[in-house]
Amino acid sequence: MTREEPRQLHKSFRYTAGKKAEEGELQTAQVSELCRRKLLNYADTFYELARNYDREFNPGKEDRQTLYSRRQLWENRQVIKCHLNEAAKIMTELACEVLCYRPMEEKQKKRIVRALKEEGIQVENPCYVPDEQGTESVVLTMSTDKASGIPGEEAADMLTVLLGRRLRLSVVSPCVIEKTPHSFVLEEQPRFLALTGFARAIKEDETISGDNYSVLEVEKGRLVMMLSDGTGSGERAGQDSGKVLDLMEKMMETGYSVEAAVKMVNTALFALGEDQNHPTLDVCDLDLHKGAMELRKAGGAVTFLKRQSETEALTVGNLPLGIFQQVEVQPVCRNLQDGDYVIMVSDGVVDAFEEAYEDALLQAVEAAETQNPGGMAEWLLRAALRAGKGRVKDDMTIGVIGIWEVCP
């Protein structure tokens, strides 16, 4: 996942407190009035464009071919309408966003500025920003005169000691402190740590897997793992599943929710009208602060939640992407505990166990004793290969997420 350039908190936002606040009092900031008006105008334009496509399909007395062409055109317009409305929604939310912050105590501020200056780092406007999880991030502007720059993680380590809080550089912050001042967000370490591991086998007589997977940190303390199985096998299937994951990543990094991103990808595939392009999609969304999981499945194989000696099979009866214009993907929600494992597999793993695969695969998961996610994925792959008598009749991919509590 690439790091995006952060919004400049102390330049792009204007302070809206009506009077000078007392030290430590919560204040607010929001997008400048000029930016706000521009965003709302853009949103209105997108909403207006979307309304132009908001028409019902009324079949006439045309021949079948003409009717089919008109139907396809209408469906494509519905996809465009959906995209325009989602983009307008994000713009509106950003324009109306109000940021709460708490100025840092003067004594603490001077201590930080002095300590980091000794290391060649200039600090401006340090403050605290609370979030929905009840934690506070440290936001500050940093620069350095050193030509080679200074890794942002070094500053995070120094502030961890100075403030007595476990801090890390956020995914929206630059990696390096440079001569040009930039805003940095230092987050509190999440309560849980997640490690991932994968194992895969390509279908015999093929050179490219039709399965693809992705892991990205969307925002503070939120990890998303995705697995997509393309229709069939080989290069075409791999391209199809790869495009699904690319679109999902770009949409979530832009600000789309997982649910909205899944719907957008589904309607885009539906509009293509390709009968042989219906990849599956599994999305495991982890909140590492709360220790909560939301699993969404569009035609994917069974997913397992392994907890000590107990293992739960999680299945949802949804069809793959692109079959219907609208898709409702209800999340399967679970609270996670220290030592839990989430195991995602593609259809090839399930098919390897053939008859009574549900019980056989469940027993294999329960028998896996290694605590290393990568080792567990490899162990399960070997179990699937043994069950299939060494044959790889379909692409096999296994993804494992291990969860550990580090900040009780």
Side-chain angles (χ1 to χ4, degrees):
M1 177 181 175
T2 57
R3 293 184 183 273
E4 298 176 359
E5 188 66 22
R7 292 179 295 185
Q8 297 297 308
L9 172 66
H10 306 293
K11 297 179 180 179
S12 299
F13 285 81
R14 64 181 177 86
Y15 300 109
T16 58
K19 60 180 181 179
K20 186 176 180 180
E22 297 294 330
E23 187 175 283
E25 183 179 338
L26 199 64
Q27 301 180 43
T28 60
Q30 67 183 70
V31 177
S32 67
E33 187 60 29
L34 177 60
C35 290
R36 181 175 176 275
R37 287 202 303 268
K38 283 186 176 181
L39 284 168
L40 290 176
N41 285 337
Y42 291 150
D44 287 342
T45 301
F46 276 58
Y47 279 129
E48 183 63 33
L49 288 171
R51 281 193 287 270
N52 291 333
Y53 295 101
D54 192 14
R55 301 175 183 175
E56 293 184 2
F57 178 73
N58 296 313
K61 297 181 179 180
E62 302 94 337
D63 60 83
R64 181 175 297 180
Q65 182 60 43
T66 303
L67 189 62
Y68 176 75
S69 299
R70 284 187 56 228
R71 177 75 185 188
Q72 276 197 318
L73 178 61
W74 178 82
E75 289 169 351
N76 290 338
R77 287 174 174 172
Q78 301 314 296
V79 174
I80 296 173
K81 181 186 77 171
C82 183
H83 279 270
L84 291 171
N85 279 327
E86 283 294 333
K89 179 183 175 183
I90 291 175
M91 291 178 188
T92 303
E93 289 175 351
L94 179 59
C96 299
E97 184 178 70
V98 176
L99 177 69
C100 294
Y101 70 99
R102 180 168 63 86
M104 188 172 288
E105 300 81 357
E106 195 63 29
K107 184 178 179 180
Q108 189 72 273
K109 175 181 175 181
K110 289 181 179 179
R111 182 186 175 200
I112 288 174
V113 170
R114 182 171 58 252
L116 268 66
K117 186 177 181 180
E118 292 176 357
E119 302 297 328
I121 302 173
Q122 286 74 49
V123 175
E124 301 176 29
N125 305 316
C127 64
Y128 299 106
V129 177
D131 57 29
E132 296 178 355
Q133 285 77 32
T135 61
E136 284 186 327
S137 298
V138 177
V139 181
L140 68 171
T141 300
M142 293 189 289
S143 60
T144 182
D145 291 331
K146 294 185 178 181
S148 59
I150 298 175
E153 288 293 353
E154 289 189 11
D157 292 339
M158 287 186 278
L159 286 165
T160 292
V161 175
L162 291 168
L163 296 175
R165 301 164 62 183
R166 296 169 59 90
L167 298 173
R168 66 169 187 172
L169 198 66
S170 73
V171 295
V172 297
S173 297
C175 297
V176 179
I177 303 171
E178 302 173 325
K179 290 186 177 181
T180 303
H182 290 293
S183 288
F184 289 78
V185 180
L186 306 180
E187 308 166 339
E188 285 199 26
Q189 289 280 8
R191 177 184 169 193
F192 290 88
L193 168 70
L195 297 178
T196 61
F198 294 88
R200 62 197 316 193
I202 300 175
K203 180 183 178 182
E204 51 196 43
D205 300 327
E206 294 284 3
T207 58
I208 297 176
S209 175
D211 301 340
N212 273 291
Y213 61 85
S214 173
V215 179
L216 66 155
E217 190 173 12
V218 182
E219 59 187 35
K220 175 182 176 182
R222 183 175 160 217
L223 186 76
V224 175
M225 185 168 84
M226 298 183 288
L227 174 62
S228 180
D229 183 354
T231 304
S233 60
E235 184 176 2
R236 175 60 190 275
Q239 290 176 349
D240 292 340
S241 61
K243 288 179 182 178
V244 167
L245 297 187
D246 286 342
L247 285 171
M248 288 293 297
E249 288 181 357
K250 289 175 182 177
M251 288 183 180
M252 286 188 287
E253 289 173 358
T254 303
Y256 286 81
S257 66
V258 173
E259 181 180 8
V262 172
K263 289 182 177 180
M264 298 288 276
V265 172
N266 177 77
T267 52
L269 290 176
F270 178 81
L272 291 175
E274 298 179 0
D275 293 336
Q276 303 301 319
N277 183 14
H278 300 296
T280 67
L281 177 63
D282 283 1
V283 184
C284 182
D285 189 353
L286 297 179
D287 185 329
L288 298 177
H289 286 287
K290 297 179 180 178
M293 175 187 74
E294 288 189 357
L295 178 68
R296 290 176 170 84
K297 303 178 75 66
V302 61
T303 295
F304 297 96
L305 174 59
K306 179 180 173 64
R307 176 172 297 163
Q308 297 179 357
S309 60
E310 298 180 2
T311 301
E312 181 183 6
L314 306 174
T315 58
V316 181
N318 291 328
L319 294 172
L321 299 170
I323 295 179
F324 295 109
Q325 181 182 351
Q326 299 294 333
V327 60
E328 294 296 331
V329 184
Q330 295 297 328
V332 177
C333 302
R334 293 291 185 273
N335 290 322
L336 301 175
Q337 299 177 10
D338 179 59
D340 283 355
Y341 294 88
V342 180
I343 301 162
M344 302 169 71
V345 303
S346 63
D347 286 340
V349 177
V350 175
D351 294 342
F353 286 86
E354 298 181 348
E355 296 181 4
Y357 68 87
E358 293 182 353
D359 292 337
L361 184 52
L362 184 66
Q363 290 173 8
V365 172
E366 289 179 338
E369 296 181 351
T370 177
Q371 295 182 343
N372 180 284
M376 184 176 294
E378 291 287 351
W379 192 93
L380 290 171
L381 180 61
R382 289 195 295 270
L385 291 171
R386 287 195 300 270
K389 298 179 176 58
R391 300 289 303 279
V392 185
K393 298 179 181 180
D394 193 8
D395 300 309
M396 299 183 188
T397 300
I398 301 172
V400 179
I401 310 175
I403 310 293
W404 290 273
E405 190 171 10
V406 292
C407 298

